[in-house]
Amino acid sequence: MPSLSVVVPVRDGGDAFRRCLRALRETTGADFELIVVDDASRDDSAAIAEDAGAVVVHHDRPLGPAAARNHGARAASAPIVFFLDADVAVSPDAPARVLARFAADPGLAALFGSYDAEPTAPGLVSRFRNLLHHYTHQVGPFRDDARPAHTFWTGCGAIRRDVFLALGGFDPQLYRRPAIEDIEFGYRLTRAGHRIELVRTLQVTHLKRWTLGEVVRTDIFRRGVPWTVLMLRSKVAESDLNVSASQRASVAATALTGLGGLLAPIEPKALSLLAIGPASVVLLNAGFYRFLARRLGPIGAAASLPLHLLYFCCCGLSVAIGLGLYLAQRRCRQPIADRQPLRPRPDTAGATAPGPHSLPSPCPGSRREWSRIETLP
C-alpha cells in the first residue's frame, strides 16, 4: 500500500496536463499511486493518464472538480491524499515533502502550498496573476516554513484521507464548476477542530495562460462572490491572505479612483482622487511592488498597476454582489442538514457525493439560484 495517493481531476487537459504528469514521473523520494479523474473529457486526457500508469476514474458526464476530487479520494488507498490541479507541475521533492510534514506532526490534518515565482505562460496578465498568488502566500508569520490557515487549496493541497471522508469531502451540489469548494471545505475542517498549515516551501509551477476576460470572470463569479457569501453565512471575520486589512484598504483606495473618474466632469477637484487612489494602492502594497520590480523589472512593475487596480475593483464588486445575495437569502433562510460522511467506495464514480439538503428553489441565494451565477460566461 502506498503512503500517498495523488489525485488529479482533469477535463480536456491538453499539453498542460501532459506536463503535469511528466513532472510527477520525475519526482523522487516517495512512492505514490496516481489517480486521475477524467471529468468527461472530449480530448485524449484519459488515454494520456493511462499511458502514464495512472488509475483512471471516468465520468460519463461533467460533474465538476468538487465531485471529481471526491471520487478520487474514494478510490485512493493511501492514508494521505495529495490533490493537484491538472495545470501545475510539482517540484521533484514535493511528494516527499508532503509525507515528511504529516509524519512529523500526527495532529496535522491538512496542508497546502502555493504557486512558485516562475510561471511559464508569457504575457503580463498571466505573469502578474501568478506572481500575485505567489507573493500573497509567501508573506506572513511563518515558523519552520509553515503557518496556520483555515482555508484549503486543491491546486496543491494534501489531507488525511479519513478526515476528508468523515467530513463529507467537497460540496459538489453547491459548487458544480470551479469555485471555492476548497475554501468552504477548509472552513468546515477548522470548525471541526482540525489543523491546516500553509507550507511556504511547497510550491508548484502554474502552466495556465490567463486572459483578461477570464481573470474578471474568475475573480468575481468563481471566487469573490461565493467567498463573500460564504464568509457572511459562516460569520467568519476573515483577515488573512486575499482579505487582509491591507487588501481591504486597497479596495477602498481603488473605489476612490473610480469615484474620481465619475465626479471629474462636474467637479475638477475630483481629479486629485485619480492620483490619490493608485498612489495609495502602491503604498499599501509596497512590498509586493518591490517583489514585482525584482521579477518583472521596474517597467513591468509599473505596467502591473492597472491590473492590480482591476483586481481590487473585482473584489469590491464581488462584495457588493455577494452582500446582495446574502441579504436576499436571509429572507427565506432555512436550516441546512449536517453533511454525511463520504463512503470510501471506488465504484461510484458517476454518482454525486452526499451533501447538505438544498434550500428551496424559490429562495434567492439557494443552490439552484447560485448555479445561475456559476454558469455565467
Side-chain angles (χ1 to χ4, degrees):
M1 180 180 296
S3 300
L4 188 69
S5 295
V6 177
V7 174
V8 182
V10 63
R11 176 169 167 80
D12 302 333
D15 182 63
F17 180 51
R18 290 185 178 88
R19 296 167 68 182
C20 171
L21 297 181
R22 187 183 310 127
L24 282 168
R25 288 197 300 269
E26 295 172 354
T27 58
T28 59
D31 293 328
F32 60 87
E33 66 173 353
L34 175 58
I35 299 172
V36 172
V37 185
D38 176 35
D39 196 29
S41 293
R42 296 156 296 185
D43 64 3
D44 57 349
S45 292
I48 293 170
E50 290 172 352
D51 290 342
V55 175
V56 180
V57 178
H58 296 276
H59 287 176
D60 295 331
R61 56 186 177 86
L63 299 178
R69 291 188 178 96
N70 287 348
H71 299 148
R74 282 199 191 99
S77 60
I80 305 296
V81 177
F82 186 15
F83 294 111
L84 287 174
D85 281 346
D87 60 359
V88 302
V90 297
S91 59
D93 65 343
R97 191 181 295 275
V98 167
L99 288 176
R101 282 280 175 181
F102 281 107
D105 189 350
L108 180 64
L111 59 83
F112 63 95
S114 66
Y115 295 140
D116 63 21
E118 301 291 341
T120 61
L124 182 62
V125 174
S126 294
R127 298 191 69 188
F128 169 81
R129 180 75 176 187
N130 288 284
L131 291 173
L132 176 62
H133 179 282
H134 171 81
Y135 180 83
T136 302
H137 288 74
Q138 294 295 305
V139 296
F142 285 87
R143 182 179 180 181
D144 190 23
D145 288 323
R147 65 184 180 95
H150 56 269
T151 59
F152 188 58
W153 183 49
T154 51
C156 174
I159 187 170
R160 298 188 189 274
R161 181 173 179 269
D162 57 346
V163 173
F164 182 79
L165 298 179
L167 287 177
F170 304 112
D171 190 336
Q173 299 175 27
L174 186 58
Y175 304 111
R176 299 172 184 172
R177 298 183 65 180
I180 59 159
E181 65 275 5
D182 45 4
I183 295 174
E184 187 273 336
F185 178 78
Y187 281 14
R188 273 191 283 127
L189 192 64
T190 52
R191 194 162 56 239
H194 298 289
R195 285 196 299 112
I196 309 172
E197 282 186 350
L198 166 57
V199 180
R200 180 163 53 187
T201 54
L202 180 61
Q203 299 181 24
V204 292
T205 301
H206 201 196
L207 309 173
K208 181 175 180 175
R209 179 183 178 275
W210 287 93
T211 65
L212 203 57
E214 189 173 13
V215 165
V216 172
R217 287 193 297 270
T218 298
D219 282 346
I220 296 178
F221 297 111
R222 295 186 181 181
R223 303 288 293 182
V225 173
W227 197 350
T228 299
V229 173
L230 175 64
M231 286 189 288
L232 291 170
R233 293 186 63 184
S234 304
K235 295 180 172 59
V236 172
E238 187 69 74
S239 60
D240 196 17
L241 298 177
N242 305 75
V243 286
S244 63
S246 64
Q247 300 299 286
R248 295 181 182 185
S250 297
V251 172
T254 304
L256 284 178
T257 307
L259 181 62
L262 291 173
L263 296 179
I266 58 176
E267 178 51 67
K269 292 182 180 179
L271 286 171
S272 61
L273 296 178
L274 296 177
I276 293 174
S280 299
V281 169
V282 173
L283 289 174
L284 288 165
N285 299 272
F288 176 56
Y289 279 95
R290 287 193 294 268
F291 168 74
L292 285 180
R294 292 194 299 269
R295 305 302 307 183
L296 304 177
I299 296 178
S304 298
L305 179 57
L307 295 174
H308 210 187
L309 294 174
L310 176 64
Y311 166 75
F312 289 125
C313 182
C314 291
C315 292
L317 287 173
S318 297
V319 170
I321 297 171
L323 181 60
L325 285 174
Y326 173 75
L327 293 176
Q329 182 191 56
R330 288 191 63 183
R331 297 177 182 176
C332 52
R333 187 172 66 181
Q334 296 185 13
I336 299 177
D338 290 336
R339 180 181 306 276
Q340 298 298 315
L342 287 177
R343 297 180 180 180
R345 296 182 301 169
D347 57 345
T348 56
T352 301
H357 297 303
S358 299
L359 295 173
S361 57
C363 176
S366 69
R367 295 180 186 277
R368 180 176 298 180
E369 188 73 18
W370 176 247
S371 67
R372 298 174 188 170
I373 297 294
E374 283 195 292
T375 55
L376 286 174

